C-alpha cells in the first residue's frame, strides 16, 4: 500500500493548523462584530426610560414646544440603527423590543390626545418602563451570551490547536525524527568502515526509500571494499615479491661489481634464486667461450637428482627459452649470452601441472643476463690484465734495454779491452780497464736499484697525490735533498695509465736531479692550466742541464720522451734562468678528449 510522502503529510498538518487558526479567528471576529453594538444598544435602551419620564413630565406641565421636541427625540431613539439588528436576533429579544416599542407608540398616542389622567399616565409609564428594563436586560443577556460563546470558541480552538500540535509532534517524532536518527547512525557506521549495519524501513515514504537505498549502497560498498582489500592484498604481495626480486638483483649486481663471481658466490646465488623464484629445480651450467662441455654445474642444495649428464651443451644452448616438454617435466632454458659469446645456460625444470608466472620468467631471464654480463666483464677484466701485463713487460724490456743493456754492452767492451791488455801484458791498460769496469759495475748496480724502485711504484687507493707524496718522502730520505710537492688536481679525474705515466716521469726526472743536479731542493708541481691541459714541472736548484744532455745515457731522456708519446703530450727540458734544471710536461687528459 502506497503511503503519502512526508512532505504531503507535513503539508496536511500545517493546513489543519492554519485552517483551525483561521476558523477561530473568523468565528471570533464574527462574534466580536455581533457584540460590537451591544453596549450602544444597552445605552440607548437605558436612555429610553429617562426620555419617557421626561416626555411624561412635559405633558403634565403643558409645555408644548418642549414636549414636541422631547417626543421627537424619543422617536429618533426608537428608530436608531442599532435596534435594526434586533429584528434578526432570537425570538424573545425581538418580542421584547416589539412589545416595548408598541407600548410606547400606544402611550404616546394617548398622551397626544390627552385622554389619560395622571393616574393612568403614571400607571402606563410604569408599565412601559418595566418593558424597557426587560428589553435592556435581554440585550445585556444577549451580549453576555455572545461573550461566553467567544470564550468558548477560543478555549475549544486552544485545546484543538494543542491536541493537533501534539499529534503532529508525535507523528514527526515517530515518522521523521526516529528514522532520521537511524539513518544518521547508519551513515556514521558506514563512514567508520562498518558496512554490515542495516536499516529496517518502517514506512514506504521518502525515508523508507532512503533507508533501502542506504542498505543497497552499504552492500555495494562492502562488496567493493572487500574486493578492494583483496586487490590491495594481492598488490601488496606483488610489491613484496617485486621488492624481494629487486633486492636479490641488486645484491647480485653489487656482488658482481665488488668481485669476480667464484664458485661459492654462484652457489649462494643459485640457492637464493631458488628461494626468490619459488622454483625448486634450477641448474646452472658454465662453459668456456670455445667449449661445449660445462666446466661448472651448480644446483640448489635441496635438489634430489644429479646434474645433467649430457655429453655436450649444444642442445641446451641452441634450444629456445620457452617451456619444452621433456619426459615428465617442462624445461625452460635461458642462455648466458653477451656479444655473441656463450658463457653457459640456466636450465629450469617444472612439472607440467605448474604454470610459470611472467614475473618468474622475467626474474630468470634477468638473472641470466646479469650473470652473462658479469662473466663478460670477468673476461674483459682478464683480457685487460693480460694486455696490462704485456704492456708492463714491454716497458720493463724498454727500461732494461735503455739502462742495463747499455751498461752491460759497455762492460762487454771493457772486458774485450781487458783480454787484449792481458794478451799484451799491458798493465797500464789493465789498470785502466779495471777502473772502468768498477765504474761501469757501480753504474749498472745503481741503475738496477733505480729500475727496481721504479718497477715497485704503484698508485693505490690514495691516488696520484699520495703516490707522489710517498715518492718525494722516499727520495728525500735516500738523497738528502729536500723535495716539495705542489699538487693542484684534486678536482680533476685522471685515468690509471695517466697516473702511472706521470708518476714514472716524476720518478725519472727526480732521479736525474738527485744524481746530476748537485742541488739541494726539488719542486714537483702538478697543475691544470686555463686551457684545461695538465702541466707537470720538476725543477731543481742545481748546476743545470748541459747542452748535450740528450747524447748522454745517464739522463734517461729517451724514457721520459717515450712516456710523453704514450699520453700524447709534449715535454721540454731546459736550464732555468735562476739556476738549475726544469722538466716541463703538458698533456690533455683523456676525459676532455672524450667529451670533445
Amino acid at each position: 500500500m502506497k503511503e503519502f510522502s512526508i512532505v504531503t503529510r507535513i503539508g496536511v498538518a500545517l493546513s489543519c493548523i492554519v485552517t483551525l487558526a483561521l476558523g477561530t479567528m473568523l468565528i471570533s471576529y464574527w462574534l466580536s462584530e455581533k457584540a460590537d453594538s451591544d453596549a450602544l444598544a444597552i445605552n440607548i435602551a437605558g436612555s429610553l426610560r429617562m426620555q419617557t419620564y421626561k416626555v411624561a413630565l412635559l405633558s403634565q406641565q403643558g409645555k408644548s414646544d418642549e414636549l414636541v421636541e422631547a417626543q421627537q427625540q424619543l422617536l429618533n431613539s426608537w428608530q436608531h440603527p442599532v435596534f435594526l439588528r434586533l429584528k434578526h436576533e432570537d425570538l424573545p429579544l425581538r418580542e421584547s423590543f416589539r412589545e416595548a416599542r408598541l407600548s410606547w407608540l400606544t402611550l404616546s398616542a394617548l398622551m397626544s390626545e390627552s385622554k389619560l389622567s395622571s393616574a393612568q399616565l403614571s400607571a402606563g409609564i410604569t408599565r412601559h418602563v418595566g418593558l424597557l428594563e426587560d428589553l435592556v436586560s435581554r440585550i445585556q443577556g444577549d451580549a453576555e451570551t455572545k461573550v461566553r460563546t467567544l470564550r468558548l470558541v477560543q478555549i475549544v480552538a486552544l485545546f484543538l490547536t494543542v491536541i493537533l500540535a501534539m499529534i503532529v509532534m508525535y507523528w514527526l517524532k515517530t515518522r521523521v525524527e526516529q528514522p532520521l536518527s537511524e539513518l544518521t547512525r547508519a551513515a556514521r557506521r558506514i563512514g567508520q568502515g562498518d558496512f554490515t549495519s542495516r536499516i529496517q524501513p518502517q514506512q514506504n515514504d521518502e525515508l523508507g526509500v532512503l533507508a533501502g537505498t542506504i542498505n543497497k549502497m552499504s552492500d555495494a560498498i562492502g562488496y567493493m571494499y572487500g574486493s578492494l582489500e583483496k586487490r590491495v592484498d594481492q598488490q601488496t604481495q606483488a610489491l613484496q615479491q617485486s621488492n624481494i626480486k629487486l633486492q636479490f638483483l641488486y645484491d647480485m649486481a653489487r656482488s658482481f661489481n665488488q668481485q669476480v663471481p667464484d664458485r661459492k658466490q654462484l652457489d649462494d646465488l643459485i640457492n637464493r634464486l631458488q628461494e626468490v623464484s619459488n622454483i625448486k629445480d634450477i641448474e646452472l651450467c658454465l662453459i668456456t667461450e670455445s667449449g661445449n662441455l660445462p666446466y661448472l654445474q651448480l644446483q640448489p642444495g635441496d635438489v634430489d637428482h644429479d646434474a645433467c649428464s649430457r655429453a655436450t651443451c649444444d642442445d641446451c644452448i641452441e634450444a629456445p627459452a620457452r617451456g619444452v616438454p621433456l619426459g615428465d617435466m617442462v624445461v625452460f632454458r635461458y642462455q648466458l649470452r653477451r656479444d655473441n659469446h656463450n658463457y653457459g645456460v640456466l636450465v629450469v625444470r617444472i612439472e607440467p601441472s605448474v604454470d610459470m608466472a611472467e614475473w618468474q620468467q622475467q626474474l630468470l631471464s634477468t638473472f641470466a643476463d646479469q650473470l652473462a654480463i658479469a662473466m663478460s666483464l670477468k673476461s674483459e677484466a682478464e683480457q685487460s690484465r693480460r694486455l696490462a701485463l704485456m704492456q708492463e713487460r714491454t716497458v720493463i724490456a724498454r727500461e732494461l734495454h735503455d739502462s742495463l743493456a747499455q751498461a752491460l754492452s759497455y762492460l762487454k767492451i771493457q772486458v774485450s779491452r781487458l783480454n787484449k791488455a792481458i794478451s799484451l801484458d799491458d798493465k797500464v791498460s789493465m789498470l785502466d780497464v779495471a777502473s772502468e769496469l768498477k765504474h761501469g759495475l757501480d753504474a749498472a748496480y745503481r741503475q738496477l736499484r733505480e729500475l727496481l724502485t721504479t718497477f715497485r711504484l704503484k698508485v693505490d687507493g690514495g691516488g696520484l697525490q699520495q703516490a707522489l707524496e710517498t715518492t718525494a718522502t722516499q727520495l728525500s730520505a735516500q738523497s738528502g735533498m729536500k723535495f716539495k710537492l705542489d699538487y693542484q688536481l684534486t678536482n680533476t679525474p685522471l685515468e690509471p695509465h695517466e697516473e702511472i705515466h706521470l708518476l714514472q716521469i716524476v720518478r725519472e726526472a727526480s732521479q736525474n736531479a738527485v744524481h746530476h743536479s748537485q742541488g739541494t731542493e726539488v719542486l714537483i708541481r702538478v697543475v691544470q692550466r686555463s686551457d684545461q691541459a695538465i702541466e707537470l714541472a720538476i725543477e731543481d736548484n742545481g748546476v743545470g742541464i748541459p747542452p748535450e744532455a740528450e747524447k748522454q745515457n745517464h739522463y734517461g731522456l729517451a724514457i721520459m720522451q717515450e712516456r710523453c708519446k704514450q699520453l700524447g703530450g709534449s715535454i721540454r727540458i731546459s736550464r732555468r734562468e735562476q739556476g738549475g734544471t726544469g722538466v716541463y710536461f703538458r698533456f690533455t687528459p683523456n676525459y676532455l678528449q672524450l667529451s670533445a
Side-chain angles (χ1 to χ4, degrees):
M1 180 178 179
K2 184 176 181 181
E3 298 186 6
F4 293 107
S5 67
I6 295 178
V7 177
T8 303
R9 294 178 179 180
I10 294 176
V12 170
L14 291 177
S15 299
C16 292
I17 295 175
V18 171
T19 301
L20 180 60
L22 289 177
T24 303
M25 292 176 63
L26 291 176
I27 294 174
S28 299
Y29 178 79
W30 176 69
L31 291 174
S32 63
E33 181 68 21
K34 289 184 66 176
D36 184 51
S37 58
D38 287 347
L40 180 60
I42 293 172
N43 186 28
I44 295 175
S47 67
L48 290 176
R49 291 175 296 180
M50 182 272 296
Q51 293 181 34
T52 301
Y53 283 121
K54 183 179 179 180
V55 170
L57 180 62
L58 290 176
S59 64
Q60 290 180 356
Q61 292 178 354
K63 296 179 180 181
S64 59
D65 294 337
E66 293 180 3
L67 178 60
V68 171
E69 183 180 355
Q71 289 178 345
Q72 185 62 41
Q73 185 178 357
L74 181 58
L75 181 61
N76 291 336
S77 295
W78 279 107
Q79 296 178 352
H80 195 278
V82 74
F83 293 132
L84 296 177
R85 69 178 184 83
L86 297 179
K87 298 178 181 180
H88 307 288
E89 296 295 338
D90 53 346
L91 182 61
L93 182 58
R94 291 201 309 269
E95 289 297 327
S96 177
F97 175 77
R98 187 183 62 81
E99 185 179 357
R101 189 170 183 277
L102 181 61
S103 174
W104 166 250
L105 293 176
T106 303
L107 184 62
S108 177
L110 294 175
M111 289 174 60
S112 299
E113 295 176 358
S114 301
K115 294 181 178 181
L116 297 175
S117 62
S118 298
Q120 292 176 343
L121 179 61
S122 176
I125 288 179
T126 300
R127 178 177 175 276
H128 178 69
V129 169
L131 294 174
L132 289 176
E133 289 179 355
D134 182 66
L135 176 62
V136 171
S137 297
R138 290 185 179 279
I139 294 175
Q140 182 180 353
D142 182 66
E144 291 176 353
T145 301
K146 292 177 181 178
V147 171
R148 286 193 298 270
T149 303
L150 179 60
R151 291 174 181 172
L152 180 60
V153 169
Q154 290 178 345
I155 292 173
V156 171
L158 176 61
F159 279 104
L160 291 177
T161 302
V162 171
I163 293 172
L164 182 58
M166 293 178 64
I167 293 174
V168 171
M169 291 177 62
Y170 175 78
W171 175 80
L172 289 175
K173 183 176 182 60
T174 56
R175 298 298 180 90
V176 177
E177 181 182 357
Q178 292 179 356
L180 280 177
S181 299
E182 290 293 329
L183 291 173
T184 303
R185 286 192 292 269
R188 288 175 180 173
R189 289 194 295 268
I190 293 174
Q192 294 172 356
D194 181 12
F195 304 111
T196 60
S197 62
R198 294 294 180 269
I199 306 172
Q200 184 63 36
Q202 299 178 356
Q203 303 295 332
N204 293 327
D205 53 12
E206 292 91 337
L207 296 179
V209 174
L210 182 58
T213 304
I214 289 179
N215 289 336
K216 293 180 180 179
M217 180 186 69
S218 180
D219 292 336
I221 294 177
Y223 174 77
M224 294 176 62
Y225 186 77
S227 177
L228 182 61
E229 281 188 336
K230 184 177 180 181
R231 292 178 60 188
V232 168
D233 292 339
Q234 293 176 352
Q235 293 296 328
T236 302
Q237 293 177 359
L239 288 175
Q240 292 175 349
Q241 188 68 39
S242 298
N243 183 52
I244 294 174
K245 292 189 297 182
L246 291 175
Q247 185 66 38
F248 168 71
L249 294 175
Y250 170 76
D251 294 340
M252 181 179 66
R254 184 177 62 179
S255 62
F256 287 167
N257 289 332
Q258 291 175 353
Q259 61 182 0
V260 178
D262 54 10
R263 180 187 179 89
K264 182 179 182 305
Q265 185 180 12
L266 291 175
D267 195 23
D268 293 339
L269 286 175
I270 289 297
N271 288 322
R272 284 196 62 189
L273 179 62
Q274 181 195 44
E275 179 182 351
V276 173
S277 63
N278 296 324
I279 298 176
K280 181 179 180 181
D281 194 347
I282 299 176
E283 182 179 353
L284 176 64
C285 299
L286 298 182
I287 62 175
T288 60
E289 296 183 11
S290 59
N292 60 357
L293 289 174
Y295 66 87
L296 181 63
Q297 288 178 274
L298 297 176
Q299 292 177 290
D302 58 351
V303 176
D304 54 1
H305 62 80
D306 296 332
C308 178
S309 58
R310 289 176 177 268
T312 66
C313 293
D314 294 337
D315 295 339
C316 288
I317 292 176
E318 299 299 330
R322 63 180 181 271
V324 176
L326 185 62
D328 57 349
M329 304 292 285
V330 177
V331 181
F332 291 81
R333 299 179 178 90
Y334 299 91
Q335 300 178 20
L336 278 63
R337 181 187 296 272
R338 179 175 171 82
D339 297 334
N340 296 324
H341 294 289
N342 287 324
Y343 300 98
V345 62
L346 180 68
V347 182
V348 179
R349 304 177 184 90
I350 62 175
E351 296 180 359
S353 59
V354 179
D355 292 332
M356 185 181 295
E358 183 178 357
W359 68 268
Q360 293 174 310
Q361 298 186 31
Q362 291 178 351
L363 176 62
L364 296 171
S365 177
T366 304
F367 176 84
D369 293 340
Q370 290 292 328
L371 186 55
I373 293 174
M375 300 301 294
S376 175
L377 293 177
K378 177 182 178 181
S379 299
E380 293 176 0
E382 292 175 351
Q383 182 66 20
S384 298
R385 285 195 294 271
R386 287 193 290 267
L387 293 176
L389 180 61
M390 293 177 61
Q391 184 178 6
E392 190 62 26
R393 288 178 177 177
T394 302
V395 172
I396 293 173
R398 184 174 64 247
E399 298 284 354
L400 292 174
H401 178 270
D402 293 340
S403 56
L404 286 180
Q406 295 181 9
L408 292 175
S409 297
Y410 173 75
L411 291 176
K412 185 177 180 180
I413 293 173
Q414 297 302 323
V415 169
S416 300
R417 288 182 59 199
L418 179 60
N419 290 331
K420 186 176 180 180
I422 291 174
S423 63
L424 297 176
D425 195 18
D426 186 356
K427 294 183 178 181
V428 176
S429 296
M430 286 189 291
L431 291 175
D432 182 62
V433 171
S435 176
E436 290 293 333
L437 285 174
K438 183 178 182 302
H439 178 73
L441 287 173
D442 291 340
Y445 181 71
R446 184 180 66 254
Q447 290 176 359
L448 177 61
R449 290 187 60 187
E450 292 176 358
L451 286 175
L452 291 175
T453 303
T454 299
F455 294 151
R456 288 170 181 163
L457 288 178
K458 63 179 180 178
V459 181
D460 53 14
L464 178 61
Q465 182 177 3
Q466 183 175 346
L468 291 176
E469 291 174 353
T470 302
T471 300
T473 301
Q474 292 176 353
L475 292 174
S476 297
Q478 294 173 3
S479 64
M481 297 178 67
K482 185 177 181 181
F483 281 80
K484 296 180 180 180
L485 176 63
D486 181 13
Y487 188 86
Q488 303 180 20
L489 297 183
T490 54
N491 296 320
T492 303
L494 294 177
E495 295 187 357
H497 74 281
E498 294 174 335
E499 294 179 343
I500 290 294
H501 284 303
L502 286 176
L503 182 61
Q504 295 288 7
I505 292 174
V506 169
R507 181 74 185 183
E508 189 67 33
S510 298
Q511 288 288 356
N512 286 337
V514 169
H515 296 300
H516 306 293
S517 68
Q518 301 179 16
T520 59
E521 292 184 358
V522 177
L523 174 63
I524 302 172
R525 183 173 64 253
V526 187
V527 297
Q528 187 172 21
R529 296 303 181 185
S530 58
D531 59 354
Q532 303 298 313
I534 304 298
E535 181 178 277
L536 169 65
I538 302 96
E539 299 174 339
D540 62 66
N541 60 350
V543 297
I545 188 172
E548 301 296 331
E550 294 182 0
K551 297 181 180 180
Q552 302 182 22
N553 293 328
H554 56 269
Y555 277 93
L557 301 182
I559 298 175
M560 289 189 291
Q561 290 175 352
E562 180 66 23
R563 294 191 181 277
C564 173
K565 292 179 181 179
Q566 293 290 333
L567 295 180
S570 60
I571 190 169
R572 176 174 57 88
I573 305 174
S574 61
R575 295 174 62 92
R576 301 172 62 207
E577 294 181 359
Q578 60 270 39
T581 303
V583 179
Y584 305 98
F585 171 61
R586 289 172 62 91
F587 79 102
T588 301
N590 191 42
Y591 81 94
L592 292 177
Q593 298 177 8
L594 294 176
S595 61

